[in-house]
Amino acid sequence: MTSLRIILASSPPRKLCKPSTPQTPNSDQTRITPLNKSPSLHLLSKTHLSLTLSQTILCSPVLASTEPFDQPTGKIDLESILITIDNFFNKYPFFVAGCTFVYLVVYPAVIFYRRKYKPITAINAFRKLKSEPESQLLDIRDGKTLASLASPNLKFLGKSSVQVPYSEEDESEFLKKVKGSFSDPENTVVCILDNFDGNSMKVAELLIENGFKEAYYIKGGARGKNGWLAIQEELLPPPVHMYTAKNAKSSNNNEASVVGKEN
């Protein structure tokens, strides 16, 4: 007991602890930091929003039924293209049929009727030569063929057949001779006669490209099916018939007799 009292007497007296009074925080410290002034909170909110939108889009029923895109391989998927075209045709059959009709029928017809060189039958060529003063007959057969089968004699119509052999190898010289045979090419309608109708179509196009008013190539030519020789006995008057060299004299006599009857 004596030692305990000595210890207590020698230890300094302690101060009593007062209960701590809550300090009023400074108004600057209690101010809540706005979200837009806190970079960490702002980044966190944007990340959360992005994740939410991503989950919403990925869980969409529209995308859920869509197959993932194939990675580009640099090759054309021909099968997919054909399937797409087939689906389009099945979905719009009338549209496809209309476009096909325009492309295959209407467009070629417009081009055909707008061009100035056209085919013409032998009988219609004769009618044009008879009824149109500006129309002329151009015989493009070579000299050997002309010697065996003469050109139609158009004196009955007050005209004459113009004979200029066509050479594909020298079209410029041919064109020069043809233009020299007609006084007014720009107002001349030409009906072109060949053995058949192969070169006559080329010549008709050539004349139109070089200033002639109109050009018609006679279908069947002189010797072809429905050509001049094929129809002349039934549809054409004897003075405009085509004769071989042996019968040329008799043709002149027939022409004279026909003209004498008309007078």
Side-chain angles (χ1 to χ4, degrees):
M1 291 295 292
T2 305
S3 61
L4 180 57
R5 290 177 181 175
I6 294 173
I7 293 172
L8 291 175
S10 60
S11 60
R14 293 183 180 181
K15 294 182 179 180
L16 296 177
C17 294
K18 296 181 179 180
S20 60
T21 304
Q23 298 180 356
T24 303
N26 192 356
S27 59
D28 295 336
Q29 295 178 357
T30 58
R31 186 178 299 172
I32 300 174
T33 305
L35 183 62
N36 58 358
K37 292 186 179 181
S38 177
S40 59
L41 291 177
H42 183 59
L43 179 61
L44 180 60
S45 62
K46 290 181 65 177
T47 305
H48 179 70
L49 180 60
S50 300
L51 291 175
T52 304
L53 290 175
S54 301
Q55 292 177 356
T56 304
I57 294 174
L58 292 176
C59 295
S60 173
V62 177
L63 295 179
S65 60
T66 305
E67 296 180 359
F69 294 101
D70 295 333
Q71 295 295 329
T73 59
K75 297 181 180 179
I76 298 176
D77 192 351
L78 183 59
E79 182 178 359
S80 299
I81 296 175
L82 294 177
I83 292 175
T84 303
I85 295 174
D86 183 64
N87 291 337
F88 180 82
F89 285 177
N90 293 331
K91 190 173 182 180
Y92 305 102
F94 294 105
F95 175 78
V96 175
C99 292
T100 304
F101 178 78
V102 169
Y103 180 75
L104 296 179
V105 178
V106 177
Y107 178 73
V110 171
I111 296 299
F112 175 79
Y113 284 106
R114 289 193 64 181
R115 72 185 185 185
K116 294 183 178 181
Y117 68 96
K118 303 174 184 177
I120 191 172
T121 61
I123 183 62
N124 287 334
F126 168 74
R127 291 169 179 167
K128 185 175 286 293
L129 291 168
K130 183 180 180 181
S131 61
E132 299 180 9
E134 70 274 14
S135 62
Q136 299 291 337
L137 179 66
L138 174 63
D139 194 335
I140 62 172
R141 295 174 298 154
D142 56 29
K144 185 177 180 180
T145 304
L146 287 171
S148 61
L149 183 64
S151 300
N153 192 339
L154 301 181
K155 290 182 180 180
F156 171 68
L157 303 178
K159 301 177 181 181
S160 60
S161 299
V162 178
Q163 299 172 347
V164 181
Y166 171 70
S167 175
E168 190 173 4
E169 298 176 354
D170 194 4
E171 288 186 346
S172 59
E173 184 65 23
F174 166 79
L175 186 61
K176 182 179 179 181
K177 291 181 180 179
V178 172
K179 283 189 171 183
S181 302
F182 300 103
S183 58
D184 188 11
E186 294 181 356
N187 295 312
T188 301
V189 177
V190 184
C191 295
I192 304 164
L193 181 67
D194 194 8
N195 277 321
F196 297 94
D197 53 12
N199 288 332
S200 57
M201 184 175 71
K202 297 178 183 178
V203 171
E205 184 177 4
L206 181 64
L207 295 183
I208 291 299
E209 291 176 351
N210 287 273
F212 280 79
K213 181 180 179 180
E214 292 179 8
Y216 297 87
Y217 54 97
I218 299 177
K219 295 172 64 176
R223 300 176 180 272
K225 182 179 179 181
N226 298 324
W228 199 281
L229 279 176
I231 68 164
Q232 67 180 8
E233 295 295 335
E234 297 181 1
L235 301 176
L236 300 178
V240 297
H241 285 190
M242 299 180 69
Y243 294 98
T244 59
K246 296 180 180 179
N247 297 328
K249 185 177 180 179
S250 62
S251 67
N252 293 331
N253 295 332
N254 290 336
E255 179 184 355
S257 62
V258 171
V259 173
K261 288 181 182 179
E262 290 188 352
N263 294 333

